[in-house]
Amino acid sequence: MKIKPIRNEADYQKALERLEVIFDAKRGTDEGDELEILAIVIDNYENDNFPIGMPDPISAINFRMEQMGLKQKDLVEMIGFKSRVSEIMNKKRKLTLEMIRKLNAKLHIPTEVLIQDY
């Protein structure tokens, strides 16, 4: 097991190739340990070089609604009247602090996502 830091694209590709070879390694074996460490090194490189931004608030709400099987009418208790829900979801009106708090509490969407500008 010889794991090195990933410093460039070539190192990254080599690490991915090795990961593919040992992907099914059993835990507690030498290859299993190598897999675990290699995955951490790859993850760190990807986080530094390919960051994934947060979704905009409305996309996050839509995604969470889909996961929970909710419809826009289900947001009325958190946002207000049906017309207000429609305005929010069509990005014609901004979320208020109270709406953000309710959406966070009910849909478990992080506040740092909901407070973003859109």
Side-chain angles (χ1 to χ4, degrees):
M1 170 170 57
K2 184 177 180 185
I3 297 177
K4 301 183 320 182
I6 299 174
R7 293 190 175 98
N8 54 46
E9 184 66 24
D11 292 344
Y12 177 61
Q13 289 305 319
K14 285 179 189 174
L16 290 177
E17 289 170 12
R18 179 63 183 156
L19 182 74
E20 192 172 320
V21 170
I22 62 172
F23 191 76
D24 292 323
K26 301 281 187 230
R27 241 192 157 130
T29 64
D30 287 343
E31 280 191 341
D33 292 345
E34 181 183 1
L35 173 65
E36 193 172 338
I37 295 167
L38 190 58
I40 292 168
V41 172
I42 289 171
D43 186 52
N44 286 340
Y45 181 81
E46 289 176 343
N47 288 337
D48 290 344
N49 293 282
F50 311 114
I52 298 174
M54 289 190 283
D56 75 79
I58 304 308
S59 296
I61 293 168
N62 279 321
F63 179 73
R64 190 67 178 134
M65 287 172 54
E66 185 179 315
Q67 285 183 319
M68 298 174 74
L70 301 176
K71 304 285 183 212
Q72 278 195 13
K73 65 180 178 137
D74 299 316
L75 297 179
V76 170
E77 70 179 73
M78 293 168 259
I79 293 178
F81 302 106
K82 281 185 182 180
S83 59
R84 174 94 17 99
V85 172
S86 179
E87 290 172 341
I88 296 288
M89 298 309 286
N90 288 309
K91 299 183 180 181
K92 293 180 179 178
R93 182 183 288 262
K94 301 288 184 186
L95 291 167
T96 66
L97 184 57
E98 185 177 340
M99 291 175 196
I100 290 170
R101 287 179 178 146
K102 289 179 181 178
L103 289 164
N104 171 259
K106 300 278 185 179
L107 300 182
H108 307 288
I109 299 171
T111 53
E112 47 279 356
V113 171
L114 295 170
I115 63 171
Q116 295 180 99
D117 197 21
Y118 58 94

